[in-house]
Amino acid sequence: ADESPAHDEL
Amino acid sequence: MNVFRLLGDVSHLVAIIILFLKIFRSKSCAGISGKSQVLFALVFTTRYLDLFTSFISIYNTVMKVVFLVLSYATVYLIYLRFRSSYDSESDTFRVEFLLVPVAGLSFLENYDFTPIEILWTFSIYLESVAILPQLFMITKTGEAESITTHYLFFLGLYRALYLANWVWRYHTEGFFDQIAVVSGVVQTIFYCDFFYLYVTKVLKGNSKLTLP
């Protein structure tokens, strides 16, 4: 799995 | 936070408020696809599960609560409060044709095989197709009230602004969320046809959008 970007968006 | 994302969130909020007020004040949900609104409530529910577990900012938390409350309130208005005006004969899109592929894909292509992450991925994929029942309903009835087209305009604009936000974040902080970007492109493409009609017809002052 690619790195999981922090879900800081709505 | 950057101006594109802020404008995108504002555009999204404006769209949701326009729809809610249209139904609440006209006491009618004629021309509105209840199925799309249920899908949007599902998008917010599966995306904002981290509402209580991860705090990002006051803004982030407040907007999540507002989106959840308004989307469920809109579903309530359509299916309960003003259900007599709900045009179920025109709202016939088979949502299972959206839910099954989206659910399958979220298990196949995700960042992390955990419940929270798979549900987040599901919400991203689902949001890109959630408007299809509404667009299908408009093509079926051949018309849409102008207030409904303003709702769709701001809803389509929001994800287009998010695309600009991702370009900006890629160049300024190297941030790249492939799943969100690809889904966002697909989602915005679905609006292109509508955007053309909106600019050429509604903005010319037509009382409502009638499809050729």
Side-chain angles (χ1 to χ4, degrees):
Chain A
D2 319 346
E3 83 294 339
S4 165
H7 303 318
D8 60 350
E9 297 177 336
L10 289 176
Chain B
M1 176 58 79
N2 59 68
V3 65
F4 301 110
R5 180 146 67 109
L6 188 59
L7 286 178
D9 291 340
V10 168
S11 182
H12 196 183
L13 182 62
V14 165
I16 293 174
I17 290 173
I18 284 177
L19 181 66
F20 180 81
L21 288 182
K22 173 247 186 278
I23 300 174
F24 188 75
R25 286 169 55 180
S26 70
K27 300 197 181 329
S28 162
C29 59
I32 302 299
S33 164
K35 294 185 175 182
S36 277
Q37 296 314 310
V38 169
L39 292 180
F40 282 123
L42 187 58
V43 165
F44 292 134
T45 307
T46 51
R47 187 175 303 176
Y48 298 157
L49 293 172
D50 64 350
L51 183 62
F52 305 109
T53 57
S54 74
F55 176 79
I56 290 169
S57 67
I58 297 282
Y59 169 82
N60 189 273
T61 303
V62 167
M63 289 295 271
K64 284 177 176 176
V65 170
V66 168
F67 283 172
L68 278 167
V69 167
L70 280 176
S71 63
Y72 276 97
T74 301
V75 169
Y76 163 77
L77 292 183
I78 293 171
Y79 284 103
L80 294 175
R81 183 81 177 276
F82 304 124
R83 65 180 172 280
S84 57
S85 66
Y86 171 50
D87 183 6
S88 56
E89 284 77 35
S90 301
D91 194 10
T92 56
F93 195 96
R94 305 284 301 277
V95 291
E96 55 272 30
F97 291 167
L98 300 178
L99 289 169
V100 172
V102 159
L105 192 61
S106 61
F107 276 94
L108 290 175
E109 184 58 40
N110 53 61
Y111 292 127
D112 201 12
F113 204 80
T114 60
I116 287 277
E117 193 62 28
I118 286 177
L119 286 168
W120 176 85
T121 309
F122 171 81
S123 83
I124 292 289
Y125 294 149
L126 181 60
E127 187 188 5
S128 59
V129 294
I131 200 61
L132 290 181
Q134 180 64 68
L135 297 178
F136 177 78
M137 184 174 187
I138 289 176
T139 55
K140 190 168 181 189
T141 57
E143 64 178 18
E145 291 175 51
S146 63
I147 190 73
T148 308
T149 63
H150 299 318
Y151 158 70
L152 288 168
F153 171 73
F154 285 108
L155 197 60
L157 180 65
Y158 128 72
R159 214 60 180 172
L161 286 167
Y162 255 72
L163 295 179
N165 151 65
W166 287 318
V167 171
W168 178 269
R169 291 191 74 179
Y170 180 71
H171 287 295
T172 54
E173 50 187 284
F175 174 91
F176 183 62
D177 182 340
Q178 181 175 346
I179 287 177
V181 170
V182 173
S183 301
V185 169
V186 168
Q187 179 171 337
T188 306
I189 288 173
F190 282 135
Y191 284 86
C192 286
D193 173 41
F194 165 77
F195 282 145
Y196 172 76
L197 290 170
Y198 183 77
V199 171
T200 57
K201 293 212 169 188
V202 177
L203 294 191
K204 290 281 184 287
N206 296 15
S207 67
K208 67 181 175 182
L209 175 68
T210 48
L211 297 185

